[in-house]
Amino acid sequence: MMTNKNNDNTQDTAKAVLRGCLLLCWKGVQLILVIAEKPSVAQSIASVLGATTRKNGYLEGGGYQVSWCFGHLAELAEAAAYDAGYEKWRISDLPILPVAFRWTIQQEKQKQFEILKSLLCAYTTAEVVNACDAGREGELIFRNVYELSGCKKPMKRLWISSMEDAAILEGFQNLRPGAEFDGLYKSALCRARADWLVGINASRFFSLTYGCKLNIGRVMSPTLSLLVQREAEISAFVPSIYYTVQLDLGGFQAVSEKYDQQQDAQALASRCVGPALVQSVDRKKKSEKAPALYDLTTLQRDANRLLGYTAQQTLDYLQALYEKKLCSYPRTDSRYLTEDMEENLPAYIGAACTILGSSPPGEIHARQVCDSTKVSDHHAVIPTLTAAGCSCDELPAGEREILRMVSQALLRGVSDAFRYLDTKAVFVCDDETFTAKGRTVLDPGWTVYAPEHEKKEAFLPEMAEGQSFPVKSVSVKQGKTTPPKHFTEDTLLSAMETAGAKDMPSDAERKGLGTPATRAGILEKLVSTGLASRKKSKKVTSLLPTALGRALITVLPEQLQSPQLTAEWEHRLKQIEHCEEPKGFLDDIGTMLKTLIETYEPVSGADVLFPSRRQIVGKCPRCGKNVVEWEKGYSCEDRACGFSLWKNSFFFTAKRIPFTPELAAALLRDGRASLHGCYSEKTGKTYDADAVLTDDGKKAGFRIEFPKKEGKKK
């Protein structure tokens, strides 16, 4: 009843939109329809265009209608949409390779889709503008609605990197033909379909093979592999103990080489009673150039390292700042600005100084941050000019801190290099050499905008060769080699960026696992599916694989956990975006899955990796092993056997008999079970009967039998 009412409301809304459009058509009005990704973005665009009249599901005015999606209105349909039999998981059905992929609209988004469809197909609509986020996913969100609506209207693309009024206005003055982004759309479509193919087929296959629900993803599984490999390296690491002798030379320390044996170090320490002579002094002037501006990944890494934010939190904060017109487009993989932005660079620097309450650099080096050849779809993340007028104290804490980090990055980027004097002095005492290192800052340069910048070396006094320093004290220090560190989100994001890069072509535009826009979601899914967990120790939060995650990587074949292969797929998607990729990307994935399913040999002893915690209901009539309960039925624990009984079997649902574990146990034990109160669809009455288990070795089923009444004549 609720569904019908919702459908009625949706239809009424669509009819109202259509009536309004017909009225405008009767008046001879021709409108431009603008579709944004979110209501808040649509509101910002509408205010610039003068579309201030609020309608049901859109805004109107100034010759425009501005509406919105709620993220992905359309999603790829579940496997059962292609064949009802796919509702049940069976290895024999795999691989599922749709010839034509189908899309579905979620019920809660159906109303807005119908509004958009009515607007897209209205006679009054002369032209459509795609104003969804300027990236791969934004292109897919719009195109799905456009295609599913059957719209054929001329299409243009709004491509902006800021939600400021001036940027929106400039964007509408320079709308680009929608066809320019066909490659981006095809890339997004291939990405979605590839993820569907791997997720549906691999997840079902390995879940059925090992009797445990396993989530497998095209990017998620190789990322999990990085975690598992790192933990294996840590477990295999054997620390080595070493000893050093340290001389206190009056305000600074000189350290010997490492000794494997403590007694050797102590013997040296006992002999170091005389002065230490300077054997050599090496002074070098060095400089560190200012780091590049932030792209999304480097911002996520620094926010995790310095503030403890997860990658998803940083993306959410930055997205909110973008929608409030305080930061430029967040999902960028560029760390530079375009050269035509150099003219306005002082204004952006002024905004950053206002946000931070600091002074600008003495000299601005614009060419350090402005390089069009290093900008792809969007320039680096920077504060907008609007941000100069905002009250940072009124922003939520997370947004405020991210805005400050983005502002600091801009000021660092245009500042002088950090210059210092590096000194290395070698001393001799009792014919053994000792080393002291120090650093003298000559010009702090960009580090004044980097409070976290560490001064790693101590100051050394002036000294010359042959000069002697009295030994104030001698000590022996014990040290040990340390294992690799657990991954944090900072270091894992870095590993994802570079995974497989060494095996990619040197001119590959995109390398690594995932994209800046998707990596945060991958990490969140690893945690939500129970394959990884966050563990906080002191001030550091590590990402660790769970027992289930380690078990999954143990049984996954190389092609599903290979960072190199997945990085190659990302490279091919980028080629598709540029219309350079020959056909065959999805065919290659389909072939890989088919070969995998046909040739994969289950890992022996997997019962130890995936111990069954499920209720045993009986013995399998085919192979004699245990039959255990699942969410959707009862199956032999040996997935190669294939014996299954489904809880939603029509035999029981039609009779309104719940298929309980007790009923399944009786059928497995005796081959039959008594049913009481079976419902008859024909008469509407109930009756008693026996259910008899049938099995031809390929498919199990049931038949009804009525027990003979006692005393009845033959």
Side-chain angles (χ1 to χ4, degrees):
M1 291 297 292
M2 183 64 71
T3 301
N4 291 336
K5 185 176 180 180
N6 287 339
N7 288 338
D8 290 342
N9 291 339
T10 298
Q11 292 172 7
D12 290 344
T13 300
K15 289 177 181 177
V17 173
L18 183 58
R19 283 195 298 270
C21 292
L22 289 173
L23 179 61
L24 290 170
C25 182
W26 177 73
K27 293 181 178 180
V29 176
Q30 290 284 284
L31 299 171
I32 297 175
L33 173 62
V34 181
I35 298 178
E37 192 165 318
K38 296 179 180 179
S40 58
V41 176
Q43 181 67 52
S44 295
I45 292 173
S47 65
V48 172
L49 299 177
T52 55
T53 302
R54 182 169 291 279
K55 300 287 186 176
N56 190 358
Y58 63 100
L59 297 149
E60 187 175 273
Y64 292 92
Q65 290 175 322
V66 183
S67 191
W68 55 84
C69 304
F70 292 108
H72 284 278
L73 288 185
E75 298 178 350
L76 283 169
E78 292 293 331
Y82 301 93
D83 186 326
Y86 292 157
E87 184 71 30
K88 299 176 181 178
W89 289 24
R90 292 182 290 260
I91 288 182
S92 59
D93 289 332
L94 303 177
I96 301 171
L97 304 172
V99 176
F101 283 84
R102 299 177 185 177
W103 297 84
T104 185
I105 310 292
Q106 294 181 16
Q107 181 62 41
E108 65 270 18
K109 298 181 178 181
Q110 186 70 39
K111 178 180 177 180
Q112 187 62 20
F113 173 76
E114 294 298 334
I115 290 172
L116 288 170
K117 182 178 180 180
S118 299
L119 293 170
L120 282 163
C121 299
Y123 292 111
T124 53
T125 301
E127 183 178 277
V128 184
V129 176
N130 174 8
C132 291
D133 281 1
R136 192 163 73 180
E137 290 309 297
E139 195 67 27
L140 184 62
I141 287 170
F142 170 81
R143 294 289 189 111
N144 279 342
V145 173
Y146 183 87
E147 297 291 338
L148 291 173
S149 298
C151 184
K152 303 297 182 183
K153 303 290 175 65
M155 173 180 49
K156 290 189 176 178
R157 189 49 156 118
L158 175 70
W159 195 268
I160 55 178
S161 293
S162 166
M163 285 303 300
E164 291 181 287
D165 292 356
I168 294 172
L169 187 59
E170 182 182 355
F172 271 91
Q173 291 170 347
N174 297 280
L175 291 173
R176 297 161 68 177
E180 281 189 16
F181 299 89
D182 286 349
L184 185 63
Y185 168 55
K186 291 176 182 177
S187 172
L189 204 56
C190 281
R191 193 277 310 158
R193 291 171 174 175
D195 287 349
W196 190 96
L197 288 172
V198 174
I200 290 289
N201 289 288
S203 295
R204 289 189 177 208
F205 178 73
F206 286 96
S207 295
L208 292 169
T209 299
Y210 292 105
C212 180
K213 187 175 181 181
L214 299 170
N215 286 277
I216 296 166
R218 183 181 61 88
V219 179
M220 184 173 70
S221 297
T223 304
L224 176 62
S225 178
L226 292 176
L227 288 177
V228 172
Q229 182 179 347
R230 173 58 58 87
E231 293 307 306
E233 292 170 355
I234 294 172
S235 297
F237 182 82
V238 178
S240 299
I241 305 297
Y242 64 87
Y243 303 88
T244 59
V245 178
Q246 293 190 3
L247 306 181
D248 181 354
L249 300 180
F252 65 98
Q253 304 284 327
V255 183
S256 72
E257 295 183 354
K258 296 176 182 178
Y259 289 88
D260 293 332
Q261 302 298 323
Q262 184 178 13
Q263 57 266 33
D264 293 338
Q266 288 176 334
L268 173 61
S270 65
R271 299 197 304 269
C272 292
V273 292
L277 298 178
V278 179
Q279 185 182 69
S280 64
V281 180
D282 185 17
R283 295 185 180 89
K284 292 181 180 179
K285 288 184 178 180
K286 294 185 177 181
S287 66
E288 294 177 11
K289 66 178 183 179
L293 306 179
Y294 279 135
D295 63 2
L296 176 58
T297 301
T298 52
L299 177 58
Q300 288 171 319
R301 291 184 56 197
D302 277 1
N304 177 253
R305 178 172 57 86
L306 300 173
L307 302 173
Y309 295 165
T310 67
Q312 188 62 53
Q313 285 175 322
T314 299
L315 176 56
D316 290 344
Y317 295 146
L318 192 56
Q319 180 71 27
L321 290 169
Y322 171 67
E323 293 176 15
K324 292 176 180 178
K325 308 183 181 184
L326 303 179
C327 269
S328 60
Y329 184 72
R331 294 171 173 81
T332 177
D333 58 1
S334 300
R335 301 188 65 184
Y336 291 85
L337 306 178
T338 55
E339 288 159 12
D340 59 3
M341 297 177 69
E342 185 174 339
E343 182 180 352
N344 291 326
L345 190 57
Y348 290 117
I349 292 171
C353 290
T354 300
I355 292 165
L356 297 171
S358 63
S359 301
E363 183 179 356
I364 295 175
H365 301 280
R367 294 302 174 90
Q368 291 179 176
V369 297
C370 295
D371 186 344
S372 298
T373 64
K374 296 181 180 179
V375 178
S376 53
D377 294 334
H378 295 278
H379 59 68
V381 181
I382 59 172
T384 62
L385 301 182
T386 303
C390 83
S391 177
C392 291
D393 292 338
E394 296 178 2
L395 291 173
E399 294 176 24
R400 181 174 64 248
E401 292 304 316
I402 293 299
L403 182 57
R404 288 181 58 83
M405 287 185 66
V406 169
S407 300
Q408 287 170 343
L410 178 58
L411 298 184
R412 286 197 300 267
V414 298
S415 295
D416 291 334
F418 167 47
R419 297 188 302 110
Y420 57 92
L421 182 66
D422 221 13
T423 303
K424 177 182 178 182
V426 178
F427 297 83
V428 176
C429 186
D430 194 50
D431 296 328
E432 295 290 338
T433 59
F434 297 79
T435 304
K437 295 179 180 180
R439 173 180 293 184
T440 304
V441 175
L442 302 176
D443 182 352
W446 59 266
T447 65
V448 299
Y449 302 111
E452 77 280 3
H453 185 74
E454 298 177 0
K455 310 302 185 294
K456 298 180 180 179
E457 305 293 347
F459 173 78
L460 291 181
E462 287 292 329
M463 61 185 70
E465 292 182 14
Q467 184 178 351
S468 66
F469 285 81
V471 177
K472 302 292 185 181
S473 64
V474 183
S475 59
V476 174
K477 301 292 184 182
Q478 176 181 301
K480 64 178 180 180
T481 55
T482 58
K485 293 182 178 180
H486 300 293
F487 273 122
T488 62
E489 294 202 23
D490 165 22
T491 54
L492 183 58
L493 286 169
S494 177
M496 291 176 73
E497 259 193 317
T498 58
K502 66 178 184 299
D503 299 315
M504 296 292 293
S506 59
D507 60 345
E509 185 172 346
R510 177 169 290 155
K511 305 175 183 179
L513 299 177
T515 68
T518 61
R519 287 175 186 134
I522 294 297
L523 302 190
E524 291 304 316
K525 191 170 182 181
L526 281 172
V527 174
S528 66
T529 55
L531 297 173
S533 63
R534 291 186 174 97
K535 182 179 180 181
K536 189 169 185 178
S537 177
K538 297 180 180 179
K539 294 183 179 181
V540 177
T541 300
S542 301
L543 270 174
L544 307 175
T546 61
L548 180 63
R550 292 193 297 271
L552 176 57
I553 293 303
T554 300
V555 302
L556 273 189
E558 177 64 19
Q559 59 262 51
L560 288 180
Q561 59 171 293
S562 166
Q564 289 77 20
L565 179 60
T566 306
E568 179 188 338
W569 286 349
E570 288 294 343
H571 173 56
R572 293 181 70 182
L573 286 172
K574 197 66 179 178
Q575 288 181 310
I576 293 171
E577 182 179 323
H578 293 315
C579 302
E580 300 171 0
E581 169 71 8
K583 294 181 179 179
F585 175 70
L586 292 177
D587 290 341
D588 289 348
I589 290 180
T591 300
M592 182 269 290
L593 290 167
K594 184 177 180 181
T595 302
L596 167 67
I597 291 167
E598 290 175 350
T599 62
Y600 180 78
E601 293 290 338
V603 174
S604 60
D607 292 345
V608 177
L609 296 172
F610 305 102
S612 175
R613 297 183 178 88
R614 302 185 180 278
Q615 179 180 350
I616 298 174
V617 295
K619 295 295 182 181
C620 177
R622 295 183 192 173
C623 68
K625 294 183 180 179
N626 291 329
V627 173
V628 296
E629 182 182 9
W630 292 79
E631 179 182 355
K632 295 184 178 181
Y634 310 94
S635 302
C636 179
E637 63 182 357
D638 183 356
R639 288 302 177 181
C641 170
F643 177 81
S644 296
L645 304 174
W646 300 99
K647 291 181 180 179
N648 64 351
S649 168
F650 182 75
F651 180 87
F652 292 106
T653 57
K655 298 172 179 57
R656 299 183 182 177
I657 298 292
F659 196 179
T660 63
E662 292 75 20
L663 178 54
L667 287 166
L668 293 169
R669 183 181 62 249
D670 305 323
R672 63 192 305 126
S674 297
L675 305 179
H676 302 286
C678 298
Y679 175 77
S680 171
E681 292 182 318
K682 185 175 182 180
T683 66
K685 298 180 180 179
T686 60
Y687 60 92
D688 295 341
D690 284 352
V692 178
L693 177 63
T694 63
D695 182 29
D696 61 5
K698 294 183 178 179
K699 184 177 181 180
F702 312 94
R703 71 170 187 269
I704 196 78
E705 284 190 2
F706 294 95
K708 296 178 180 180
K709 295 183 179 180
E710 294 182 6
K712 186 176 181 179
K713 294 182 180 180
K714 296 182 179 179

